[in-house]
Amino acid sequence: MGKPAAGATPPAPVTKTAPAEAIRAVPVRHYGRWVAALVSLAALAALIYAFSQGKINWGAVPDYFFDDRILSGLGKTMLLTVVAMVIGIAGGVVLAVMRLSKNPVTSSIAWFYIWFFRGTPVLVQLMVWFNLGLVFEYINLGPLYKDYWSSFMTPLLTALLGLGLNEAAYMAEICRAGLLAVDEGQTEAAHALGMSHAKTLRRIVIPQAMRVIVPPTGNEVINMLKTTSLVAAVQYPELLRAAQDIGQVSGAPVEMLFLAAAWYLILTSVLSIGQFYIERYYARGSSRALAATPWQKVRASVLAMGRPNGGMA
């Protein structure tokens, strides 16, 4: 190295410094979470122990779980749920359109329908339909059909009308909320592109409104599944009524109620899975990343376990 030129700034002396000490990361302790988990598990264990020690013949539940009468009642419950929801959704769409109409007559009729059916208990509606023969002795459809009202209004028809028409009032508000959630600019832009009103509704408005409509509709389906138990009051042999009948004969009425509850939980689980996939389908246009399916979660966990340190490669 040569001698520095005259007038030049001499280089700063190099000093040796101690190596930087590695930072020791200390994870945050969540003691509250551990306490809450332990308390919850203790409460759950105490609850299970209390039920296991009760005067309940748990052996009767598996004995009748697949009984023909139970399976028949299960099928009738599913039939009621599906058909009543079809009536409710179809009626709800019509009522929502009527409610949003600029015609004051149709809008008022829809408002009155929703007000009436939401304001009266479902059980009362079922009983009124079942006893409407006190008002109408006959049903007369001219040359097509004529019979006594008591013969026409069977328990099945009473259940479908009572549940379906009541559900239509709630579905009308859900559909109306979904349609109002779509920005008006979407409709205006579609019309500017030359789309007709029907095509705009089918291709632009409804797909976006479904993201709002599907979650509460799924909730209504599950709620309808449980509400069908009310039709036992009009002598329709659905799941709860079948369980009660078996309970009276076998001397295990409470055990049969637990059996019915188990079947309701199974059906609710199946419907919840269906709701997840329908919501995921209609979220394609708005979410950047769709929610992982249970299979995708399991597969990701298995792949992560195979990587070094159990993390990302």
Side-chain angles (χ1 to χ4, degrees), residues 103-258:
N103 187 328
V105 177
T106 57
S107 178
S108 299
I109 292 174
W111 178 89
F112 178 81
Y113 181 98
I114 295 169
W115 168 78
F116 179 80
F117 280 92
R118 289 201 307 174
T120 53
V122 182
L123 184 59
V124 173
Q125 295 174 30
L126 288 169
M127 299 305 293
V128 169
W129 279 108
F130 195 62
N131 295 285
L132 210 56
L134 299 174
V135 181
F136 304 101
E137 185 178 1
Y138 295 96
I139 177 168
N140 190 353
L141 300 179
L144 298 178
Y145 184 82
K146 181 179 180 181
D147 202 348
Y148 287 101
W149 185 272
S150 57
S151 301
F152 167 74
M153 190 58 65
T154 62
L156 174 60
L157 187 58
T158 302
L160 291 177
L161 287 177
L163 297 177
L165 296 181
N166 179 75
E167 183 60 32
Y170 290 91
M171 284 304 305
E173 290 299 275
I174 293 174
C175 294
R176 188 171 68 91
L179 295 175
L180 292 177
V182 181
D183 189 82
E184 292 183 0
Q186 300 282 329
T187 303
E188 295 172 356
H191 289 167
L193 292 173
M195 288 187 179
S196 64
H197 184 72
K199 190 174 183 179
T200 300
L201 191 66
R202 187 177 69 256
R203 300 291 298 275
I204 305 297
V205 177
I206 290 181
Q208 298 184 64
M210 288 299 287
R211 291 186 292 107
V212 180
I213 293 173
V214 167
T217 302
N219 193 47
E220 287 296 311
V221 173
I222 293 174
N223 186 51
M224 177 62 74
L225 174 70
K226 296 179 294 183
T227 306
T228 55
S229 61
L230 294 177
V231 304
V234 293
Q235 310 301 321
Y236 189 71
E238 45 72 57
L239 176 59
L240 182 60
R241 180 61 183 268
Q244 290 175 330
D245 292 343
I246 294 176
Q248 292 177 359
V249 176
S250 63
V254 178
E255 289 79 357
M256 293 303 102
L257 294 179
F258 284 115

Side-chain angles (χ1 to χ4, degrees), residues 34-46:
W34 285 99
V35 173
L38 290 175
V39 171
S40 300
L41 290 175
L44 181 61

